[in-house]
Amino acid sequence: MIDPPHAASSRLGEALTRELNPRQVEAVTYPAQPLLVIAGAGSGKTRVITCRLARFIAEGADSRRVLAVTFTNKAAREMKERVARLLGHEGSDLPGMWLGTFHGLSARLLRLYGESVGIRKDFVIYDADDQRRLMARVLHDLNISEKTFPVRQVVAIIDRAQNQGISAANFVASGPLDKVVASAYRSYEERLAAANAVDFGGLLLWALRLGSPDSTVAATLAKRFDHVLVDEFQDTNSVQYRLVRFLSRQTGSITVVGDEDQSIYGWRGADIRNILDFERDHPGAGVIKLEQNYRSTANILRAANAVIAPNTERRPKRLFTQTAAGDPVVVYEGETERDEAEYVAATVQAGLEQGAAPRDFAVFYRTNAQSRVLEEVLRTHNLPYVVVGGTRFYDRAEIKDMIAYLRVLQNPDDTVGLARIINVPARGIGNSTVDRLSALARDRGVGLHAALEIAAVDADVLGQGPRHKVAAFCELLQSLRAARDVLPPADLAEKVLEDSGYRDQLAAENTVEAEGRLENLMEMIAQMREYEREAEEPTLADFLERITLASDVDSYDPEKGAVALMTAHTAKGLEFPEVLVVGLEEGVFPHQRSMDDDSAVEEERRLCYVAVTRAMKRLHLCRVRWRRLSGQQLGGVPSRFLGDLPAEVIDHVIAPRPAYLDEKTDGAGPWQGRWSRGEPPRAARAQGSGRPAPAAPPGTITRHYDPGMARGEEGELGLRVGGKLKHAKFGLGEVRAWQSVGDDFKVTIRFASVGVKTVMAKFLQRL
């Protein structure tokens, strides 16, 4: 049993005195009124919201009338256990506690009250795959071409509408695509209703409808909860915000905890204005800032504060710690992404030799495609790793599809590979046709490929429509097989991407996910070109063998753990003793998609801030002078985030330029600064861990960071991110990025008159 209120309150009071700092105590004990807790990274926000929840119950609140929202089921479980311990409960649950994610709590509300808005209690929830399958059927029945209007694109638009609280009835079509989506959305909703099903976005929409004026349970729900608490409030979308506002309106006891500096899911529907405008929507609300950090060293925090400071959509705050300064933040500069990956491996190896475990290290990157080189190098050095929040590069669906195509071209009898690609991309060869082809292969005692060729010419095997589609697929394979005999592996893969229609399908989807899949495919082709340069006699068979062996290597040691590889988005909520952030170049991190949108650049800066604040003891920020990514050779313009770092907390590790490069560029630092090759490394670190400077390839220069390098200039124009230049036609502009092209530069620049343009440097002038 739970302790009586006075005993629980006494127990909690002891915990508050023992575990919390004064600002945290203030947040926990604040009256039951609207309260916004701005909790900086590592400031103990989970502890605060847990203690405040426990305090309400300890002082007599009915646990069945307290609603607490988290953003993961794991966080919800941990919070329940902490609250139970604080209250002296022996189990991990509390009677009737409403604690969970928005989707989980919405489902619970609909099980209880859904019939009032037309949802039966036994409804089922469709996941993303169910959603796409249903939409494919809808488009088929509406005679809408999936090639012109891909399922994923239509679903993505509907998801965005749902996040904004827009149902099919309220969806306004503003163009040809929207008209198709509007029709599909209506039919989709009708079919969900007929199946008594809801999707993820629908869960929130239906829960919000429970509070609509025409709902018979609105008055009951308005009085259902005495206290509402929301964690990670900066990640809420419009529907979630409106739902918690409705549920807390009766008593006014709403507590939200979050940090606008960590709002990184705008592309997923999260609205940063929810946390920024909380005081406007709740006049007189209390605001308490938690700025003392318990995770990172002082040097890491100074770097984090500098990275986030330029953002305008934020409340001023500055993280601090009472711990030592710690090791300097290392800024690494290499020639290529391979140098960067070797530096990562060398850093991990040096740490292991000093007694660290693999699980102490994490590597963050902006896009999944960047993991390929990292995985390859870590395997080469026999270092265990795990890709967190995603699949390994060679296990991703689009990569497996490409490998299957290449395997079938190499070996037509590869039945598994052929079955995978027979309808990828969609070409109208459905499961029933595949089943008949498989039966034919069994009856004739031949492989699936032979059965395809038989069916393509034998009118008795398939109907006319399926036969024509099978014949077209056979012609595609014959054409690609002929190309196999004359093209090198990388060119053959590009031809597969083009001739199969795979590239066109991904381009037509026009979604972030599709763009990422195409980037991964281009990264694979780039790797094939690298293989061709390195192999003595490059062949498709040899490349496929290398890929297969690499994919089968499992270096994960459950006893020692593994180095964590993940995107910066996935890193949210985690922490590691040593963090390496790679790819800090303009167009990579910040991502190219953000360059023409100031608010998008601010979100990229928040994402960098999140990555930096995951580090507990040591932080490495890495960039290269040239990067091959997604099939492109990119000139490594240093990320603007590096230019914001305070000089006094930085050490620089610079890999030497290869001897074959033009000597006049040798010694050029990341911002075209200069250094002396004879300059010694930074002096011993009095307050640091004592670990030697991170290892790097032979010839590497280690030096203290020079503040002039961050403000250095490129060429006669003095190109620098944020610099002002003039164009004869467009007027004054602000430099966003640039790339060398022969003897000139291609400059991405934002003009007040016409927005973002890319122009040659020769047409620009200094002020």
Side-chain angles (χ1 to χ4, degrees), residues 175-215:
L177 174 59
D178 282 351
K179 289 181 180 178
V180 170
V181 173
S183 177
Y185 196 0
R186 287 193 297 270
S187 180
Y188 173 74
E189 276 198 351
E190 290 168 359
R191 296 188 185 212
L192 282 174
N196 192 34
V198 295
D199 59 16
F200 289 145
L203 272 174
L204 302 177
L205 275 177
W206 280 109
L208 186 61
R209 287 173 190 160
L210 294 174
S212 63
D214 57 350
S215 168

Side-chain angles (χ1 to χ4, degrees), residues 135-147:
M135 183 56 68
R137 174 53 58 187
V138 166
L139 296 180
H140 175 271
D141 292 348
L142 292 175
N143 294 318
I144 296 172
S145 169
E146 286 191 39
K147 185 173 182 180

Side-chain angles (χ1 to χ4, degrees), residues 513-527:
E513 180 183 357
E515 184 177 2
R517 296 175 69 197
L518 185 57
E519 287 178 353
N520 288 335
L521 287 165
M522 297 309 298
E523 178 66 12
M524 178 181 173
I525 293 173
Q527 182 204 3

